[in-house]
């Protein structure tokens, strides 16, 4: 394992002078015959879990098994929005911890993840959505989260391109304003966790596909991969859209339906939009990157699928809605569209914790919220593996809640993914 | 016009009789009709059109097409316009982009000096400490944003959409595409032929005499077929599942652009090839051009691209360009033949090429370096169709591999050959495309209308002849390093160092270096990037990799994707009256409703003291007929229906299988086997589908006929102590309470309109009659009521007054006072839930809810301070800060002169007189008390029954 | 936009239909227990393969259909009406 | 160059026939299958789903009155199909939707019944959206029809 140097302006300068290449971010390893913990899925959840297992609990004999390249799933396909203004106390508390971790992540990982806290604005076009915004704001305040309902005038000041004049169908009546929310460089988060986890001893196996989980007397004994078997007593499923398929290997059925979530980006233009804008009724959210591109997202596709090919209707519907919000951008050009796979649950809450199979844990069901939860999920799952029980933050999100009928109430606020 | 314009060329597309005046960078220029921005400027001696993204190096023509990364300009308020494609118009204002403060002087060009420190992803490695400076760093980084500008005042322009159903759609109208179109049409198929350029012909347009002759024959052939619809200056932007194909049409009168959405039975991809740049030191200097760019400038626009040229040639296009240059009077300084091992080492010059150093060490003075080093197939449409093109080393390019049945490819992207061979291959492909398309068409026609089951047929695709590949040397990078991605300023060195840092999967390298992420999406550079990445990793040979192209193939305006603004909106037949009286508009789903007429409190008082009328037409109405209607009602409602007599209505609640409240409303029995169900206005569609679902999937044998008649009736609620008197004056229906009691329904004539039905219900808490009138007559009855009730003090009231009235009465609204987790018990209607019924939707969950008995309760709440109205959604908080419930509805009651609320609270708080604390938005707490009954007003209900 | 060959209406765009997905048999409401009932409500196979799923032609003939669709390619190979002869 | 799209002022005519009596019958017209229409003794009858027929004319026994439930517009002329395909995805080609064909589909996002009833050789379509949408649908037709010289 190569020594990982610190990144800094000074080292960047030295590197520039010497022209010597930077050492590798992570190395290739042979597949060991056994690991203490095997994590399925090399996205932000899996890699963060590996990182916190090592950093917080000294557990370093860990393999992260990724069927493609790291961050090839939802982690590299989301719209990189971070926020904590959720509807329920448990949801707000949970995501607030994630925001805190994101705020310190560049220092923790010595890798600039470019977290820009530009503020997050959710527009309300009807009395009922305004009521939901207030509901979220009031719950958020009780959790100490900066969140409030603002007027159309305040909206115009924060985002001058928004058309707040009287729309026949979608008047802008107000918005939920959440200053700590913002955008981040999603790939950097993946690479930063991978580099740090690797530096502390975790093995990252890319291009290695999971083919089976061996269970004996209700206990995990090992796993099968395209590069050979691994003996282990602990397997963590962090595979989002593919969660049902991996769980089925252990004989577990989940309350999950996989749906594509599409996103798109325009050509760059000069900066004109600072905050992240979300409209639930118009099923759209938009932000402008530092490069000048507008990044768009919408709600999940109308039917279940494992396809990431994307649809024309996503782009036409999206354009209709963003042009309704900002008529002046009609001449901007949509450059590229793509899709990720979301593991949707009936109550829009995650499923995180143990399963009926001893040693098989899930960190799935994130639906459209997975990326923003990466750090806290990694921290909490690592804690659960180390201590043997789910901590307070994740207790409400167990798999057993579906059988006991105690669903989470996030349902109420889940009109749109972000 | 300057000396760069040469004599007439046989294939030129400019109209020398029509000069066009336009501005570039603040100065005025002239060109000819048919010129592109760039051809006109080149004719006037302009060489630099932009500055590069990262190092701000001057950039000139590379490909002279839509896909040229160096020719992005701002036209008026239109950013990122392709200067190599957009034709000039009189008065056009063209400005350079990404060149602040000017094309010539450029402070950020100092980046070139520090370029060695701007290694790929440098920003990930710095700007971290001290953290407080990060916001400042953000400002710096965002200054680097490339591209044009958008203006808040921009007029969005006019765009529209069109659906099309061609048998065959052909992308690309070069020789192969055109002959495919002709052959398909001759085989009886309807064809849409799409060409990205303004003219048909592809490379034939800038070819020699033979090419031009072949072209005119093909054009005649295409025009001779009415079954061929031609779309020039149009581009196929995407191929989606089930051959759903998007085309952007640009050359239209009336609209800026049109999006064509085509269900194509067979798609033919004939987009030819793009010429590939060569990577070497200085390869991005203005004056370094591709051979096809030069051939376009000379043969289409009669423009001389330089004075003294060096040509690096690896193929026939390189040979042809030499001839073209000579004809254009350009001195040929040297021809370096790559087929015999020649290559270019370096191009040097300050702001443009001044000399070229070849691989043999000769330095040649020249202001033009033309490269012809290979072709790239733009395989985007094939990738979107699920193909993974394979690399053919002999031809040094990718070719189609495994296409689905409904997609074919022809022309240059399949192989090489003489014009005749390409035309022959196109024809064979067109014939096969027609055959496949017509098989599908025949099957689709046989389907409608059909039986109960369909199995898709398995077609038997016939093959299409192969097209050979001319041998071509593999040329990607010289022995020196240069620019690979011109849009993103990514060098071959960057790609190599990224791979060494660990980004050794191609996708990681792309994301890290941003190669291929720019506005031209690496169309011309992609294969160079693959080759150089392979060179760095030593592993991935081109054979083993391919890159995924995501739609759209070419960028599309948001306005084009949006099309015209069509948002379905619904109006009651009485809405014109509301508008005329200045009613405040309320958006309720698709409906536009009157919120109030200026004085909601006054409207409330009118109802309480005299009589008011409200337009409730959006209320869902479903006509149910048949012997088994009662069984259906028993199944979908939680309450009982067996004993409902004709002429009576009953309030009912529907829950879903998880026990959560779905909808509520009254259903009346109009005849032995005839019922009328009402739903909430928002729930009308859901409930209609819900009934159909339970019938079709659960009880197809039941005799029930459903007809949604919401729009068939205008609905007017007449409420207040005087409502009986008012309605009496207009109807033949006997309103005597003994004949027409509370919760009764009768049909008859109202204000001269037959076939109305009227039911007596009390959402407002007052004596009230809901009149349902055949909708085209709604306005007439509305006006009759106002006229007849004038002396009674009748007043129209809106949704806001109705909300207050029902809140005073304590009636909940599904979706406001209930939420996504609200099961049936706890909302004051427990009496309606009949767990002793054998079966109904959601029964088990409601059974268990009753057992657990730990559910929240909806209660009426009054604040201790009667003037304080806690805004809806305020939380009810325990002293320890725990949430115990929330306010779901709140208003100031004009009737009681105090604030009133409904709220959900934990069961232990659902006790009359219970003191609770409401947390206000300002953080203060407001004490309040729980009431005995839901009703703040007339709890006994004497008034409704009056 | 998929094309669904409705037995009554012929080839139609999928935006005329609403997707219901996997359907699980409804347990006997009087004999069931929470475990069985909530498996019926919430658990899904969610296969990446050929699946049989329910769609509703809400903007066309308003009939419920069973489709055989591949959830990776979205290819549809079979369409059948729900509800016996009444349909 | 869109030569297959006819477009000229003379080629389009729009009539509002919303007040025409319309009925929903559940029996009596079994000869009229889904997707087709027929002139019967009672008037024009069509079906878009099994067991349900729409009748223009006198009230058949046990029929539900649809007169006020649906608006009805007639769009006639060579450009009619072109205009409809601006906002409606239905394949109106003679092969898929000949004279006499009937369908229920989406028109500018609204569920609409469409019946083709040519008038002595000229393509002609009846459009029946729900009546609360008629103002909107009329706006759409006039807006999209502007290109073909259609105006109020």
């Amino acid at each position: 394992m190569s020594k990982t140097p610190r990144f800094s302006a000074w080292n960047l300068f030295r590197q520039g002078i010497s022209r010597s290449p930077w050492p590798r971010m992570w190395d290739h390893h042979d597949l060991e015959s056994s690991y203490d913990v095997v994590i399925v899925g090399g996205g932000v959840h899996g890699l963060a879990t590996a990182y916190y297992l090592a950093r917080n609990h000294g557990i370093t004999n860990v393999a992260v098994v990724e069927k493609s390249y790291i961050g090839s799933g939802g982690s590299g396909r989301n719209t990189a929005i971070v926020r904590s203004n959720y509807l329920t106390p448990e949801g707000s508390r949970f995501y607030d911890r994630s925001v805190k971790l994101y705020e310190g992540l560049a220092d923790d990982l010595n890798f600039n993840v470019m977290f820009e806290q530009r503020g997050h604005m959710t527009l309300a076009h009807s009395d009922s959505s305004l009521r939901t915004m207030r509901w979220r704001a009031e719950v958020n305040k009780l959790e100490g989260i900066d969140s409030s309902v603002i007027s159309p005038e305040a909206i115009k000041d924060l985002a001058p391109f928004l058309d707040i004049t009287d729309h026949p169908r979608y008047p802008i009546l107000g918005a939920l304003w959440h200053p700590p929310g913002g955008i981040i460089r999603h790939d950097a988060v993946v690479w930063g966790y991978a580099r740090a986890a690797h530096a502390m001893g975790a093995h990252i196996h890319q291009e290695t596909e999971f083919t089976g989980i061996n269970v004996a007397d209700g206990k995990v004994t090992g796993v099968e991969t395209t590069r050979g078997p691994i003996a282990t007593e602990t397997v963590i499923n962090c595979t989002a859209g593919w969660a049902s398929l991996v769980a089925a290997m252990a004989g577990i059925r989940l309350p999950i339906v996989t749906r594509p979530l599409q996103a798109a980006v325009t050509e760059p233009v000069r900066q004109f939009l600072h905050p992240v804008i979300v409209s639930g009724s118009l099923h759209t959210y938009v932000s402008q990157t530092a490069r000048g591109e507008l990044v768009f997202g919408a709600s999940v596709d109308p039917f279940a699928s494992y396809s990431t090919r994307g649809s024309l209707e996503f782009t036409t519907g999206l354009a209709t809605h963003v042009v309704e919000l900002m008529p002046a951008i009609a001449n901007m050009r949509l450059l590229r569209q793509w899709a990720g796979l979301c593991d949707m649950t009936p109550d829009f809450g995650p499923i995180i914790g143990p399963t009926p199979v001893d040693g098989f844990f899930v960190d799935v069901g994130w639906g459209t919220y997975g990326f923003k939860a990466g750090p806290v999920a990694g921290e909490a799952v690592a804690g659960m593996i180390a201590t043997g029980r789910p901590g307070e933050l994740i207790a409400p999100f167990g798999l057993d809640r579906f059988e006991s009928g105690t669903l989470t109430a996030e349902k109420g606020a889940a009109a749109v993914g972000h | 016009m300057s000396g760069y314009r040469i004599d007439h060329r046989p294939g030129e597309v400019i109209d020398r009789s029509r000069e066009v005046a336009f501005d570039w960078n603040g100065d005025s220029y002239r060109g000819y009709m048919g010129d592109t921005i760039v051809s006109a400027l080149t004719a006037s001696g302009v060489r630099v059109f932009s500055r590069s993204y990262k190092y701000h190096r001057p950039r000139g023509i590379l490909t002279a097409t839509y896909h040229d990364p160096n020719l992005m300009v701002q036209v008026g308020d239109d950013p990122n316009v392709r200067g190599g494609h957009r034709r000039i118009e009189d008065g056009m204002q063209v400005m350079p982009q990404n060149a602040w403060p000017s094309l010539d002087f450029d402070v950020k060009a100092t980046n070139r000096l520090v370029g060695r420190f701007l290694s790929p992803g440098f920003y990930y490695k710095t700007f971290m400490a001290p953290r407080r400076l990060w916001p400042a760093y953000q400002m710096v980084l965002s200054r680097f944003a490339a591209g044009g500008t958008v203006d808040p005042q921009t007029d969005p322009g006019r765009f529209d959409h069109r659906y099309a159903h061609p048998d065959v759609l052909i992308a690309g109208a070069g020789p192969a595409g055109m002959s495919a179109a002709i052959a398909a049409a001759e085989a009886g198929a309807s064809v849409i032929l799409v060409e990205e350029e303004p003219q048909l012909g592809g490379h034939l347009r800038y070819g020699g005499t033979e090419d031009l002759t072949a072209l005119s024959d093909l054009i005649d052939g295409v025009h001779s077929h009415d079954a061929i619809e031609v779309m020039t200056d149009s581009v196929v932007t995407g191929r989606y599942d089930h051959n759903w194909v998007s085309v952007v049409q640009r050359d239209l009168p009336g609209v800026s652009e049109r999006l064509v959405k085509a269900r194509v039975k067979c798609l033919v991809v004939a987009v030819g090839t793009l010429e590939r740049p060569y990577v070497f030191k200085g390869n991005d200097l203005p004056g370094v051009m591709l051979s096809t760019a030069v051939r376009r400038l000379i043969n289409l626009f009669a423009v001389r691209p330089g004075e003294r040229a060096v040509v690096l040639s690896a193929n026939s296009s390189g040979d042809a360009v030499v001839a073209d240059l000579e004809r254009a009077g350009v001195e040929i300084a040297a021809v370096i033949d790559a087929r015999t091992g020649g290559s270019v080492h370096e191009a040097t010059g300050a702001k443009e090429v001044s000399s070229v150093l070849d691989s043999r060490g000769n330095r040649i003075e020249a202001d033009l370096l033309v490269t012809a080093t290979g072709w790239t197939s733009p395989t985007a449409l094939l990738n979107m169709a699920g193909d993974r093109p394979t690399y053919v080393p002999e031809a040094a390019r990718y070719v189609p591999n495994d296409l689905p049945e409904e997609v074919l490819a022809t022309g240059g992207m399949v192989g090489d050959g003489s014009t005749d061979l390409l035309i022959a291959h196109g024809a064979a492909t067109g014939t096969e495309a027609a055959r496949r398309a017509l098989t599908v068409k025949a099957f689709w026609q046989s389907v409608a209308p059909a039986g109960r089951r369909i199995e898709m047929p398995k077609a038997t695709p016939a093959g299409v002849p192969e097209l050979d590949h001319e041998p071509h040397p593999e040329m990607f990078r010289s022995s020196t390093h240069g620019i690979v991605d011109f849009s993103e300023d990514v060098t071959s060195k960057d790609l190599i160092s990224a791979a060494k840092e660990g980004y050794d999967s191609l996708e990681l390298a792309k994301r890290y270096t941003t190669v291929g992420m720019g506005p031209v999406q690496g169309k011309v550079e992609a294969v160079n990037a693959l080759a150089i990445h392979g060179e760095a990793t030593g592993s991935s040979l081109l054979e083993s990799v391919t890159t995924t192209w995501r739609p759209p193939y070419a960028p599309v305006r948001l306005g084009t994707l949006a099309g015209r603004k069509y948002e379905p909106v619904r109006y009651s037949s009485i809405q014109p009256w509301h508008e005329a009286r200045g009613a405040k508009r309320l958006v309720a789903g698709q409906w536009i409703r009157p919120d109030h007429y200026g004085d909601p409190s006054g409207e409330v008082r009118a109802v309480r003291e005299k009589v008011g009328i409200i337009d409730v037409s959006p209320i869902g109405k479903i006509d149910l007929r048949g012997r088994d209607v009662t069984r259906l009602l028993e199944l979908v409602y939680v309450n009982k229906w067996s004993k409902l007599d004709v002429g009576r209505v009953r309030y009912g609640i529907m829950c879903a299988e998880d026990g959560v409240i779905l909808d509520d409303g009254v259903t009346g029995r109009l005849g032995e086997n005839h019922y009328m169900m009402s739903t909430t206005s928002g729930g009308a569609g859901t409930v209609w589908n819900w009934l159909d679902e339970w019938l079709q999937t659960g009880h197809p044998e039941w005799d029930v006929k459903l007809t949604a008649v919401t729009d068939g009736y205008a609905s007017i609620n007449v409420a207040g102590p005087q409502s009986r008197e008012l309605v009496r004056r207009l109807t033949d229906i006997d309103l005597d309470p003994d004949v027409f009691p509370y919760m009764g329904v009768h049909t008859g004539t109202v204000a001269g309109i037959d076939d109305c039905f009227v039911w007596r219900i009390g959402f407002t808490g007052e004596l009230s009659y809901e009149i349902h009138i055949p909708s085209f007559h709604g306005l007439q009855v509305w006006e009759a009521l106002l006229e007849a009730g004038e002396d009674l003090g009748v007043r129209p009231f809106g949704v806001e007054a109705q909300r207050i009235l029902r809140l005073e009465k304590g009636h909940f609204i599904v979706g406001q006072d209930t939420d996504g987790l609200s099961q049936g018990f706890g909302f004051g209607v427990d009496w309606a839930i009949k767990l002793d019924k054998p079966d109904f939707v959601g029964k088990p969950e409601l059974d268990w809810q009753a057992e657990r008995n730990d559910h929240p309760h909806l209660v009426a709440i009054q604040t201790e301070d009667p003037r304080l109205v806690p805004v809806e959604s305020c939380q009810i908080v325990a002293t320890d800060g725990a949430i115990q419930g929330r306010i779901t509805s709140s208003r100031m009651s004009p009737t009681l002169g105090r604030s009133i609320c409904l709220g959900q609270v934990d069961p232990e708080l659902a006790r009359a007189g219970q003191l609770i604390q409401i947390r206000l938005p300002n953080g203060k707490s407001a004490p309040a008390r729980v009431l005995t009954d839901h009703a703040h007003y007339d709890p006994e209900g004497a008034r409704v029954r009056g | 936009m998929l094309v669904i060959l409705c037995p009554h209406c012929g080839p139609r765009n999928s935006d005329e239909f609403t997707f219901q997905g996997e359907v699980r048999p409804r347990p006997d409401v009087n004999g069931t227990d929470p475990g069985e009932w909530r498996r019926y409500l919430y658990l899904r196979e969610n296969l990446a393969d050929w699946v049989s799923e329910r769609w509703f032609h809400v903007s066309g003939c308003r009939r419920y259909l069973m489709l055989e669709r591949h959830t990776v390619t979205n290819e549809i190979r079979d369409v059948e009406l729900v509800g016996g002869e009444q349909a | 160059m869109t030569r297959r799209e006819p477009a000229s002022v003379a080629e389009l005519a729009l009539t509002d026939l919303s007040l025409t009596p319309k009925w929903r019958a559940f029996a009596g017209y079994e000869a009229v299958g889904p997707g087709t229409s027929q002139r019967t003794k009672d008037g024009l009858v069509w079906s878009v789903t099994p067991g349900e027929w729409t009748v223009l004319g006198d009230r058949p026994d046990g029929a539900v009155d649809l007169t006020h439930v649906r608006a009805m517009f007639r769009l006639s002329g060579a450009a009619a199909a072109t205009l409809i395909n601006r906002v409606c995805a239905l394949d109106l080609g003679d092969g898929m939707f000949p004279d006499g064909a009937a369908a229920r589909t989406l028109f500018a996002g609204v569920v609409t019944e469409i019946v083709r009833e040519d008038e002595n050789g000229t393509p002609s379509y009846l459009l029946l959206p729900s009546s609360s949408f008629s103002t909107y649908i009329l706006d759409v037709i006039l807006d999209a029809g502007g290109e073909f010289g259609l105006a109020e």
Side-chain angles (χ1 to χ4, degrees), chain B residues 644-650 667-670 740-745:
Chain B
L644 185 71
D645 301 327
V646 175
R648 303 287 296 166
V649 303
R650 179 171 293 164
T667 290
R669 189 170 192 180
L670 304 180
F740 195 161
Y742 179 57
M743 298 307 268
V745 58

Side-chain angles (χ1 to χ4, degrees), chain B residues 413-738:
Chain B
M413 74 182 328
V414 176
D416 307 298
S418 65
T419 303
D420 291 349
L421 276 172
L422 291 172
I423 289 173
H425 190 268
T429 308
T431 310
E432 172 60 11
R435 199 187 62 78
R436 296 187 191 182
L438 295 174
T439 314
V440 174
K441 187 184 218 166
F443 172 62
W444 282 3
Q445 286 173 2
S446 75
V447 171
R452 26 188 331 276
R453 185 193 178 124
I454 294 172
E455 272 182 79
M456 312 301 157
K458 283 276 149 274
T460 51
V464 179
E466 296 280 312
L467 206 51
D468 296 343
H469 298 107
E470 274 171 18
H472 195 293
E474 287 184 285
M475 295 185 70
F476 308 110
R477 182 171 77 88
S478 176
S479 49
T480 51
H481 284 290
I483 295 290
V484 176
D485 184 316
F486 292 75
S487 314
E488 294 288 305
D489 256 1
V490 179
T491 66
S492 44
K493 216 187 231 102
D494 293 338
L495 284 168
I496 290 164
S497 70
K500 290 199 161 69
E501 274 186 69
Y503 303 91
D504 44 13
S505 114
L506 178 69
E507 286 300 322
L508 283 177
K510 273 169 69 180
R511 288 164 173 274
Y512 187 63
T513 62
T514 71
V515 70
M517 298 284 182
V520 297
Q521 303 230 299
K523 279 186 187 59
V524 294
E525 308 99 320
V527 176
N528 288 340
L530 290 178
I532 291 161
H533 179 75
E535 177 192 334
T537 55
S539 59
S540 56
L541 296 164
L542 286 169
E543 285 86 337
S544 66
V545 300
T546 180
T547 167
T548 52
W549 297 89
R550 297 197 172 100
Y553 169 69
V556 189
R557 284 185 186 160
L558 295 173
T560 311
L561 290 167
R564 298 185 195 203
K565 199 163 156 187
Y566 293 143
E567 282 289 353
V569 56
R570 307 175 75 173
Y571 301 104
S572 107
S573 55
I574 309 170
Q575 184 65 21
W577 190 95
H578 308 317
E579 301 274 331
R581 298 309 182 285
K584 180 172 177 295
R585 283 171 149 239
L586 173 77
V587 179
Q590 288 183 314
W591 290 92
I592 304 297
R593 303 190 59 184
D595 195 6
H596 59 74
Y597 303 85
D599 174 20
S601 307
E603 295 166 23
V604 169
R605 276 190 296 273
V607 172
R608 291 282 178 232
E609 292 156 18
K610 301 186 173 88
V611 58
I613 61 174
I614 180 171
D615 177 1
V616 291
S617 301
I619 283 179
K621 289 143 241 154
I622 301 170
D623 180 293
L624 302 98
R625 301 175 185 219
R627 290 186 309 280
D628 300 308
V629 172
T630 321
R631 301 169 77 176
L632 177 64
L633 298 177
E634 289 281 342
L635 179 64
V636 297
Y637 279 119
V638 297
N639 40 338
K640 287 199 177 151
W641 295 85
S642 40
K643 293 188 197 64
L644 185 71
D645 301 327
V646 175
R648 303 287 296 166
V649 303
R650 179 171 293 164
Y651 172 79
I653 295 193
M654 292 183 191
C655 291
E657 286 282 66
D658 59 4
V660 172
I661 297 174
L662 185 72
D663 201 69
D664 69 343
V666 299
T667 290
R669 189 170 192 180
L670 304 180
E672 187 53 31
N673 293 330
H674 183 198
Y675 291 74
M676 185 67 70
M677 174 187 288
S678 74
T679 74
T680 61
S681 25
T686 316
V687 171
W688 185 24
N689 299 348
W690 188 240
L691 300 181
D692 255 316
E693 179 175 348
W694 284 96
L695 275 175
Q696 290 181 41
T697 69
H699 300 279
E701 72 284 3
W702 285 358
D703 170 37
V704 180
K705 309 290 185 209
L706 300 174
T707 314
V709 294
T710 303
D711 287 9
Y713 294 92
S715 304
I716 303 171
N717 189 286
V718 184
Q722 296 290 357
S723 56
R724 180 178 293 122
E725 172 55 20
L726 172 52
V727 176
R728 190 192 54 74
R729 296 175 179 184
L730 293 171
T731 183
D732 61 352
I733 301 169
D734 182 351
L735 301 182
D736 178 326
D738 303 329

Side-chain angles (χ1 to χ4, degrees), chain B residues 158 161-163 165 223 226 228-230 249 258 445 449 564 566 570-571 590 625 711-712 774-776, chain D residues 1-5 18-19 34 64 67-68 85-90 95 130-133 136 143-144 147:
Chain B
R158 192 168 168 80
H161 286 187
R162 168 193 165 191
Y163 293 93
H165 312 82
H223 290 340
D226 275 352
I228 302 176
E229 179 177 357
V230 176
Q249 254 183 304
R258 169 174 295 148
Q445 286 173 2
R564 298 185 195 203
Y566 293 143
R570 307 175 75 173
Y571 301 104
Q590 288 183 314
R625 301 175 185 219
D711 287 9
S775 53
F776 296 154
Chain D
M1 293 166 73
T2 55
R3 288 172 295 109
R4 258 170 64 249
E5 286 199 339
S18 295
L19 293 174
V64 177
T67 309
H68 303 259
N85 278 146
R86 285 281 184 272
V87 295
C88 171
L90 199 64
S130 266
S131 56
S132 64
F133 286 109
Y136 161 74
D143 179 57
E147 179 184 348

Side-chain angles (χ1 to χ4, degrees), chain A residues 47-302:
Chain A
L47 293 164
T49 303
Y51 169 72
Y52 292 109
L53 275 171
R55 197 196 72 169
N56 297 357
H57 310 286
I59 301 172
T60 58
N61 182 17
V62 174
V64 178
V65 178
E66 167 56 50
K67 72 174 175 184
S68 179
Y69 59 94
I70 55 172
S72 55
S75 300
R77 296 164 183 265
N78 67 86
T79 48
I81 295 169
V82 173
R83 65 177 177 97
S84 64
N85 56 348
Y86 281 71
L87 179 72
T88 61
E90 59 270 28
S92 309
R93 232 172 273 140
F94 184 80
Y95 287 95
D96 186 46
R97 174 62 186 162
S98 213
V99 169
K100 296 279 189 306
L101 287 167
Y102 268 127
E103 284 170 343
L105 206 56
D107 290 352
D108 288 1
L109 303 177
N110 173 231
F111 197 80
N112 192 344
V113 294
M114 310 222 178
F115 186 19
E116 300 186 48
Q117 294 182 288
R118 295 161 159 235
H120 183 280
M121 183 191 289
T122 313
L123 302 171
H125 303 285
S126 70
D127 291 2
S128 57
S129 60
L130 197 53
R131 202 176 294 115
T132 310
M133 298 312 149
R134 288 213 195 87
W135 185 355
R136 284 165 62 179
E138 293 313 308
V139 172
N140 296 161
K141 288 176 193 169
L142 289 168
E143 295 299 325
I145 293 164
D146 187 352
S147 175
S148 59
V149 172
I150 59 172
S151 70
E153 295 65 35
I155 292 170
K156 189 77 179 171
D157 292 343
L158 289 159
F161 268 69
L162 281 177
D163 175 12
I164 62 165
T165 58
D166 183 37
H167 297 240
R169 288 280 285 105
Y170 298 103
I172 294 180
L173 305 179
L176 181 65
W177 175 235
H178 179 48
I183 52 174
I184 196 164
R185 184 78 179 90
H186 54 11
D187 290 326
V189 174
V190 171
W191 301 335
Y193 273 123
R195 173 168 169 265
H198 163 265
M200 286 184 288
H203 286 189
I204 299 164
H205 298 293
Q206 301 187 70
E207 306 295 334
T208 309
E209 190 164 358
F210 230 59
T211 55
I213 300 174
N214 306 326
V215 178
D217 336 322
K219 282 192 172 55
V220 171
T221 60
V223 302
E224 304 291 330
T225 79
T226 47
R227 281 173 58 201
I230 303 171
T232 186
E233 291 181 352
T234 306
V235 173
I236 310 169
N237 179 359
C238 300
T239 56
W242 295 269
S244 302
L245 309 180
V246 172
M249 294 176 186
I252 304 282
R253 185 173 296 174
L254 298 172
I256 282 178
V257 173
T258 295
R259 291 211 175 190
L261 177 64
Q262 300 190 55
V265 63
T266 65
E267 293 175 353
V269 295
R270 302 282 162 185
Q271 296 291 327
F272 71 91
L273 178 66
H274 193 67
V276 178
I277 307 288
V278 179
S279 166
S281 322
L282 288 167
H283 303 287
T284 184
Y285 40 97
V286 51
S287 65
Q288 186 173 24
T289 67
R291 286 164 51 86
E293 307 145 324
L294 291 186
V295 175
F296 301 117
S299 48
V300 292
D301 281 7

